[in-house]
Amino acid sequence: MKISLIAHDNKKDSLIQFVTAYRDILAEHSLYATGTTGQRVIDETGLPVTRFRSGPLGGDQQIGGMIADNDMDMIIFFRDPLTAQPHEPDVSALIRLCDVYQIPLATNMGTAEVLLKGLQEGFIDWRLIEERRN
């Protein structure tokens, strides 16, 4: 499956801890990430990651384009709800696209853990059904 990893600046350390803890599960899938987050995942876990631009420079929209093309299966987006983001409209659009295209979305570590455990157990295999992807 194709999984996007995104984190606001104040949440990048938490995302790296999460990816490190679930490295074995994530290693079985294709990973995508916005700029700095992706580089940190590569540097600190050794996992291969396809990187897009940083979120404020269009990375969220690039991932949104994959969602709109039904070419993304899961989003793990550690958001910082206590800090204003200059690209908040892009963040809202990304979340909206996840709802429109029924893409599993985690915005915090607790939900991300449930999604990855479900992925490991096959509970998200419905994303693999070809009819769902067209």
Side-chain angles (χ1 to χ4, degrees), residues 2-83:
K2 295 180 179 181
I3 301 172
S4 283
L5 305 170
I6 309 167
H8 286 147
D9 288 344
N10 290 342
K11 297 294 182 175
K12 288 188 192 318
D13 289 341
S14 294
L15 182 68
I16 295 302
Q17 291 173 346
F18 179 81
V19 171
T20 300
Y22 288 97
R23 186 185 188 289
D24 292 344
I25 295 172
L26 291 168
E28 298 175 13
H29 302 278
S30 298
L31 303 179
Y32 297 80
T34 50
T36 306
T37 301
Q39 192 60 55
R40 285 203 51 196
V41 170
I42 292 167
D43 292 345
E44 299 182 39
T45 70
L47 291 170
V49 177
T50 300
R51 292 175 57 223
F52 295 110
R53 291 182 180 95
S54 70
L57 298 179
D60 296 334
Q61 292 180 348
Q62 289 176 293
I63 291 171
M66 289 185 73
I67 293 169
D69 288 339
N70 206 13
D71 196 29
M72 186 59 63
D73 298 302
M74 181 182 294
I75 307 290
I76 296 174
F77 186 172
F78 284 15
R79 298 177 63 214
D80 180 358
L82 302 178
T83 303

Side-chain angles (χ1 to χ4, degrees), residues 80-127:
D80 180 358
L82 302 178
T83 303
Q85 302 298 325
H87 64 294
E88 191 61 38
D90 298 336
V91 171
S92 295
L94 183 70
I95 292 169
R96 179 183 165 281
L97 285 171
C98 287
D99 289 341
V100 168
Y101 291 97
Q102 300 181 53
I103 303 300
L105 166 69
T107 60
N108 60 64
M109 193 175 297
T111 307
E113 183 174 32
V114 170
L115 283 183
L116 285 192
K117 290 291 191 175
L119 179 63
Q120 184 179 36
E121 294 298 319
F123 300 146
I124 305 176
D125 285 352
W126 60 270
R127 284 288 310 157

